[in-house]
Amino acid sequence: MAEVLVYVDHVDGAVRKPTLELLTLARRIGEPVAVHLGAGADAAAAVLGEYGAVKVLAADASEFADYLVAPKVDALEAAYNAVSPAAVLLPSSAEGKEIAARLAVRIGSGIITDAVDLEAGAEGPVATQSVFAASYSTKSRVTKGTPVITVKPNSAAPEAAQAAGTVEQLAVSFGEKSTGTKVVSRTPRESTGRPELTEAAIVVSGGRGVNGAENFSIIEALADSLGAAVGASRAAVDAGWYPHTNQVGQTGKSVSPQLYIAAGISGAIQHRAGMQTSKTIVAINKDAEAPIFDLVDYGVVGDLFEVVPQLTDEVKTR
Ligand code: FAD
């Protein structure tokens, strides 16, 4: 069976959920071979094997932390040369997309970004994308070289499938250009204790209807009762009520959770562009004619200041 390279997204060796989703999707098109860069590969190998990685190619070097993405591209290219895979899969994070693009150029391949599904095809893997503000779903495949594909978080539920997960060291040499941009400082963001917006299984977002920064506490309370991330419409962000890092939409982040709850959001096309691939959409809006109701699975016509606290209390009793 053909091997499929899966780039491992991890924080200090702790493998992040999008990687488990990639391993699950990779098994549809071949045998997953994980590429783990940085410290912690031996510890990560257990979980990578549990989700089907037959092998873990590992490389640890200070260059991965000290410079921007280029050293990681060198390593992935070395893995590509070692394995001759049927496809290379990466998460659709900012870093994942940059590595993917650079790798595709180096190996002379076509690239597909932001896939929301992946299946085997007679002439290579077929990726589903959601385009034009999610008005259309397209299926495409790479016709030149080895497909390099980035997949949005939450596109597949991780499914375990025990495999060997044997760690092999990968020899990487870094080109002069790869160390051209040095990281001079890192400032970790203060943790809210909530999941990362683009990876969260549940997102609760507030819009202009929330009517003030101080009122976002009711959105946060519902999010916390569900273990969810908090999102915001651009109107709420532009008003200074919530940080831009939490904006969902065309000029914000694109999310695809299992459950998206929109409170006080009208459903403008630019907002939909960032959330329409969510599996289940719930809206709370006092205007029954709000366009958001055209795309919801469940809609509540009501005042969010009444509905959201009641919903939070109800969730807490479960
Ligand atoms: P509104 O459209 O004002 O809607 C507020 C809603 O709240 C209304 O439906 C109202 O009925 C409801 N409401 C009010 N009070 C209550 C209450 N008490 N209880 C319940 N409901 C209530 N927007 C984004 O979100 N993300 C983007 O990334 C983005 N990018 C853009 C890029 C471009 C180039 C442009 C031109 C626009 C972009 N926008 C984006 C803006 C977008 O067009 C809308 O203006 C924005 O999404 C509106 O935000 P909203 O739904 O919160 O506000």
Side-chain angles (χ1 to χ4, degrees):
M1 204 185 219
E3 291 174 312
V4 177
L5 284 186
V6 171
Y7 176 80
V8 177
D9 186 13
H10 66 95
V11 179
D12 300 329
V15 177
R16 301 177 81 172
K17 187 167 153 269
T19 303
L20 309 182
E21 296 165 11
L22 289 182
L23 289 169
T24 304
L25 290 172
R27 299 204 305 269
R28 296 183 186 168
I29 51 178
E31 283 192 326
V33 172
V35 181
H36 187 287
L37 308 179
D42 288 326
V47 67
L48 295 170
E50 197 184 320
Y51 283 86
V54 292
K55 196 158 61 183
V56 179
L57 296 177
D60 189 9
S62 59
E63 280 83 351
F64 297 132
D66 290 349
Y67 298 90
L68 294 184
V69 295
K72 293 177 179 169
V73 183
D74 290 336
L76 209 52
E77 188 180 9
Y80 167 83
N81 289 331
V83 168
S84 300
V88 184
L89 307 185
L90 301 97
S92 268
S93 57
E95 182 186 78
K97 284 198 266 195
E98 185 171 350
I99 295 173
R102 288 170 180 254
L103 179 73
V105 171
R106 287 204 196 172
I107 64 177
S109 286
I111 181 173
I112 294 172
T113 56
D114 289 338
V116 293
D117 202 6
L118 203 56
E119 61 198 279
E123 295 170 88
V126 177
T128 305
Q129 287 164 298
S130 172
V131 298
F132 295 139
S135 312
Y136 290 88
S137 237
T138 62
K139 285 185 188 288
S140 39
R141 71 179 169 78
V142 166
T143 54
K144 181 171 181 251
T146 301
V148 178
I149 302 171
T150 75
V151 182
K152 277 187 164 188
N154 291 309
S155 294
E159 284 166 25
Q162 195 61 52
T166 326
V167 178
E168 283 180 21
Q169 291 307 313
L170 180 69
V172 187
S173 54
F174 300 110
E176 211 176 286
K177 286 184 186 155
S178 300
T179 51
T181 317
K182 195 167 171 54
V183 175
V184 288
S185 73
R186 277 200 167 78
T187 312
R189 253 189 297 148
E190 215 174 291
S191 172
T192 58
R194 299 190 184 99
E196 160 65 30
L197 181 58
T198 55
E199 293 170 15
I202 305 177
V203 174
V204 182
S205 287
R208 202 194 305 270
V210 174
N211 199 25
E214 64 287 0
N215 298 334
F216 256 86
S217 58
I218 68 166
I219 303 294
E220 292 179 334
L222 176 58
D224 291 342
S225 73
L226 292 163
V230 175
S233 73
R234 180 161 158 181
V237 169
D238 283 353
W241 301 341
Y242 223 67
H244 180 254
T245 44
N246 295 65
Q247 184 179 314
V248 172
Q250 188 182 314
T251 43
K253 288 186 175 153
S254 183
V255 301
S256 201
Q258 297 296 323
L259 173 63
Y260 187 87
I261 302 177
I265 293 178
S266 61
I269 189 147
Q270 296 90 352
H271 187 79
R272 293 160 71 137
M275 45 66 74
Q276 200 165 355
T277 54
S278 305
K279 309 291 176 294
T280 301
I281 299 171
V282 176
I284 301 157
N285 197 304
K286 66 181 185 185
D287 175 9
E289 304 298 320
I292 189 100
F293 287 125
D294 294 342
L295 74 146
V296 298
D297 298 282
Y298 301 96
V300 181
V301 179
D303 187 333
L304 71 90
F305 293 101
E306 288 169 21
V307 177
V308 174
Q310 283 180 40
L311 186 54
T312 307
D313 289 344
E314 184 60 31
V315 173
K316 282 184 181 163
T317 63
R318 303 276 165 126

